[in-house]
């Protein structure tokens, strides 16, 4: 019976009344494994069918949001189309967006695990109790075996001290672990947390549609005026200004429509800086995406309203408010 088990990990959760006023048919779950979240019935069905093998990624996403003490996530199905222009669209997260937010590389998992443990520690020297059968999502792991392996790697790197406990394992960040947290949270290059860099094709064909969709999505997500290179006045070389703005941006939106070389360069430069890059592309051009970019979870759109809705949800899932 729907609601009697967690649709993500299938354990027994504590249900709660949503009372959110969104009228999306959301069910509330408080799960020891996945944390506190809301999910539509359609999203529950999506997890049981389309994304059955990737539920652990959604679990890690939800648990991390709970640990960070942000507003708990509200999941909808990737097939559930919200009304174009819906001002509440950014408050929902597609199941596919949560999956896309999962770290692609092992290093990202280790950093994510360390950030979760630091948030649970609250202060240096405090030990966190890890219950292997319940807390493996903290380490961005598929199961308790993978969770134990990832924690061991953090210990081998000298970032974590592990000790056996009767009810699990104790984990304590070392001095090097806290230094790594500083590297992850206090970047050496000053970043404007509300700044967004937009890489896109500037030609007249479809320009207004692309720009309107991207601007609206960024505004819905609560970020400031995006940097679009040909919309600003400046002195000096435009390429120097572009590099400076890329370094300053908190994240990048790269629209691959028409596959312009400058967009690929700017997206690649941003990834080299370790910045999150959200890729978008018009559905008519998606098949022509270059090989490396095709491996990304690209936001495929049809018109300005569709782009705005899908991109705002992806920003909310991957970047946060």
């Amino acid at each position: 019976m729907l609601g009697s088990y967690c649709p993500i990990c299938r354990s027994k959760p504590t249900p709660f009344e949503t009372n959110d006023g969104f009228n999306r048919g959301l069910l509330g779950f408080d799960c020891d494994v996945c944390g506190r979240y809301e999910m539509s019935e359609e999203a529950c069905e999506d997890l049981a069918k389309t994304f059955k093998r990737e539920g652990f990624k959604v679990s890690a996403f939800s648990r991390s949001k709970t640990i960070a003490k942000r507003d708990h996530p509200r999941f909808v199905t990737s097939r559930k189309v919200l009304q174009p222009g819906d001002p509440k669209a950014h408050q929902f997260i597609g199941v596919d967006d949560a999956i896309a937010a999962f770290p692609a590389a092992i290093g990202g998992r280790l950093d994510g695990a360390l950030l979760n443990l630091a948030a649970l520690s609250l202060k240096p020297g405090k030990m966190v109790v890890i219950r292997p059968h319940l807390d493996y999502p903290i380490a961005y792991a598929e199961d308790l075996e993978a969770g134990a392996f990832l924690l061991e790697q953090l210990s081998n790197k000298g970032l974590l001290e592990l000790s056996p406990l009767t009810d699990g394992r104790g984990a304590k960040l070392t001095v090097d672990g806290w230094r790594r947290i500083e590297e992850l949270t206090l970047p050496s290059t000053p970043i404007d947390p509300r700044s967004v860099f937009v890489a896109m094709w500037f030609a007249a064909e479809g320009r207004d549609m692309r720009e309107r969709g991207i601007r609206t999505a960024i505004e819905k997500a609560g970020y400031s005026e995006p940097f679009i290179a040909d919309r600003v006045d400046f002195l000096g070389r435009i390429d120097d200004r572009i590099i400076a703005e890329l370094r300053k941006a908190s994240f990048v939106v790269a629209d691959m429509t028409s596959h312009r070389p400058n967009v690929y360069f700017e997206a690649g430069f941003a990834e080299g800086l370790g910045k999150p890059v959200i890729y978008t592309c018009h559905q008519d051009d998606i098949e022509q995406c270059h090989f490396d970019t095709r491996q990304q979870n690209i936001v495929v759109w049809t018109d300005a309203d569709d782009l705005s809705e899908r991109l705002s949800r992806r920003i909310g899932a991957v970047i946060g408010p």
Side-chain angles (χ1 to χ4, degrees), residues 61 65 97 100-101 276 278 313-320:
F61 179 93
K65 293 288 187 183
D97 292 326
I278 299 177
R313 283 170 47 194
R314 183 64 60 85
I315 292 172
V318 178
I319 310 300

Side-chain angles (χ1 to χ4, degrees), residues 174-197:
T174 65
V175 171
D176 285 342
W178 285 107
R179 284 174 177 159
R180 178 58 182 159
I181 292 297
E182 291 175 355
E183 291 174 0
L184 293 170
T185 58
L186 299 173
S188 56
T189 301
I191 293 176
D192 181 349
R194 311 315 297 171
S195 174
V196 184
F197 186 99

Side-chain angles (χ1 to χ4, degrees), residues 296-310:
Q296 304 288 340
N297 194 312
I298 301 173
V299 176
V300 182
W301 56 275
T302 56
D303 56 34
D305 290 334
D306 186 45
L307 174 57
S308 172
E309 177 223 321
R310 294 178 185 276

Side-chain angles (χ1 to χ4, degrees), residues 43-64:
C44 293
E45 294 173 1
D46 243 9
L47 270 173
K49 299 175 184 177
T50 309
F51 300 114
K52 187 175 182 179
R53 294 180 181 274
E54 297 183 286
F56 71 94
K57 297 180 180 179
V58 184
S59 181
F61 179 93
S62 180
R63 187 66 181 273
S64 294

Side-chain angles (χ1 to χ4, degrees), residues 21 23 38 46 56 77-78 102 125 139 145 165 195 221 235 254-255 280-281 321:
N23 298 319
E38 297 175 30
D46 243 9
F56 71 94
T77 177
S78 56
F102 192 84
E145 182 179 32
L165 300 174
S195 174
L235 296 174
D255 185 74
T280 66
C281 186

Side-chain angles (χ1 to χ4, degrees), residues 227-253:
F227 176 85
I228 301 176
D230 71 335
R231 295 296 197 201
V232 296
D233 296 321
F234 63 93
L235 296 174
R237 292 161 50 94
I238 182 60
D239 52 348
D240 289 342
R241 177 68 184 274
I242 285 172
I243 295 300
E245 292 293 336
L246 279 166
R247 293 186 184 279
K248 185 177 76 172
S250 57
F251 67 96
V252 173
V253 175

